[in-house]
Amino acid sequence: MSNIPAYNKALAIVPKCAGTLSFIGSFLVIFDICRDKKKRESIFNRIMLGLSLFDMIASFVNILSTWPTPEGTAGIYGASGTTATCTAQGFFNELGNITTPLYSAAQCVWYLLFLKYGWKEKDCRKYELAFHSIPISVGLTMAIVGLPLTLFNNSGFLCWYAPFPAGCDNNTDITCTRGNLAGTFRWIHYGVIWSAILFITYAMTSIYLSVRRQEGKVQGSIMSNGSRRKKSDAVKTQALLYVCALYLTWFFTTVNNFC
């Protein structure tokens, strides 16, 4: 343990701190919605409940960090688990991390229907089941398939899709005993996530342009052309912050897992 580099120790400790903050934030969102009957009746807030619940799962996985990794795994600081605990962490890691961005995409569908196309709450209600069933079904499928294929092994500071022993997929002298298809499922995982992010980008852009057009019509009839577009500017700022946060989060994670 004493020979483990400081960098590896940091990889084990930092996710615990970030995961704790994320877990608390998601818990507070759930608490705030659940205690208010009016908020619970809103479709948007119920989507937020689903998103926050699965974010809590992903955050708890980060809090555990390297603890579930089999004890004695070379170069892993804090490894004190077994193959079973690593598999469990990998299952919930995949479930939480792939479901959360899909719930974000579901939120954007609601935004489009409500803000751009003028749907009312009662119009959206008939499709509410899809807002939840699609993210959860995809997440459960990706996580459950990983069990019989023994895909969940240590992948650095967490257990996730990874071949075992480490590096066996790139070394012909080492035979993989677990996770032979880990690389393929990583591609599928990030394909799903980036598809969701691209859809969110489209949705936010479409909403901004729609608000800008509506604002332009109003200003054209009652105000001068030089008047400031306050509403569309606010939508643009919020959309940029939201989309940029997704790109920053998933870009570095994607690069880290393929480089």
Side-chain angles (χ1 to χ4, degrees):
M1 188 74 72
S2 59
N3 296 325
I4 295 177
Y7 174 76
N8 290 34
K9 292 181 179 180
L11 282 178
I13 296 171
V14 171
K16 296 180 185 295
C17 302
T20 299
L21 293 175
S22 180
F23 186 91
I24 293 172
S26 293
F27 173 79
L28 291 175
V29 171
I30 292 174
F31 177 76
D32 181 62
I33 294 174
C34 288
R35 69 175 180 172
D36 189 324
K37 182 180 179 180
K38 188 174 181 179
K39 289 182 178 179
R40 293 198 305 271
E41 292 175 348
S42 165
I43 293 175
F44 177 81
N45 285 331
R46 288 200 287 268
I47 295 173
M48 276 297 299
L49 277 176
L51 190 156
S52 299
L53 174 62
F54 284 96
D55 185 68
M56 282 182 67
I57 293 174
S59 299
F60 186 67
V61 167
N62 282 326
I63 293 172
L64 294 177
S65 185
T66 57
W67 287 338
T69 296
E71 185 176 4
T73 301
I76 304 299
Y77 179 74
S80 54
T82 63
T83 299
T85 58
C86 189
T87 297
Q89 185 189 40
F91 178 91
F92 289 106
N93 187 9
E94 177 61 14
L95 177 63
N97 275 297
I98 199 169
T99 305
T100 302
L102 289 175
Y103 257 113
S104 294
Q107 274 187 323
C108 285
V109 173
W110 184 90
Y111 280 132
L112 278 173
L113 296 175
F114 200 78
L115 299 177
K116 181 178 179 179
Y117 296 108
W119 285 33
K120 304 300 182 183
E121 185 84 1
K122 62 179 181 180
D123 299 319
C124 296
R125 198 172 299 279
K126 66 181 75 171
Y127 298 104
E128 184 179 6
L129 180 61
F131 292 151
H132 299 279
S133 63
I134 294 175
I136 294 173
S137 296
V138 173
L140 282 174
T141 299
M142 293 291 288
I144 291 173
V145 169
L147 296 176
L149 296 178
T150 64
L151 298 177
F152 300 125
N153 304 288
N154 177 264
S155 63
F157 68 93
L158 294 173
C159 293
W160 187 50
Y161 294 144
F164 182 85
C168 65
D169 55 331
N170 296 317
N171 191 335
T172 56
D173 296 328
I174 304 176
T175 301
C176 293
T177 57
R178 293 173 56 87
N180 289 284
L181 295 175
T184 300
F185 275 82
R186 285 193 180 199
W187 279 105
I188 296 173
H189 171 91
Y190 283 110
V192 171
I193 287 176
W194 281 102
S195 294
I197 292 174
L198 290 174
F199 171 76
I200 291 169
T201 304
Y202 155 75
M204 289 293 143
T205 302
S206 183
I207 290 168
Y208 162 69
L209 293 175
S210 177
V211 172
R212 184 180 175 88
R213 282 194 297 269
Q214 293 172 18
E215 196 172 48
K217 291 178 181 178
V218 173
Q219 290 179 346
S221 61
I222 64 175
M223 302 175 67
S224 66
N225 291 331
S227 60
R228 181 169 175 78
R229 297 175 180 270
K230 293 183 178 180
K231 189 173 182 180
S232 60
D233 285 347
V235 171
K236 179 175 67 175
T237 300
Q238 293 176 8
L240 278 173
L241 291 173
Y242 186 68
V243 171
C244 286
L246 286 173
Y247 275 90
L248 285 172
T249 299
W250 290 104
F251 174 78
F252 291 107
T253 303
T254 304
V255 170
N256 180 64
N257 278 286
F258 284 105
C259 296

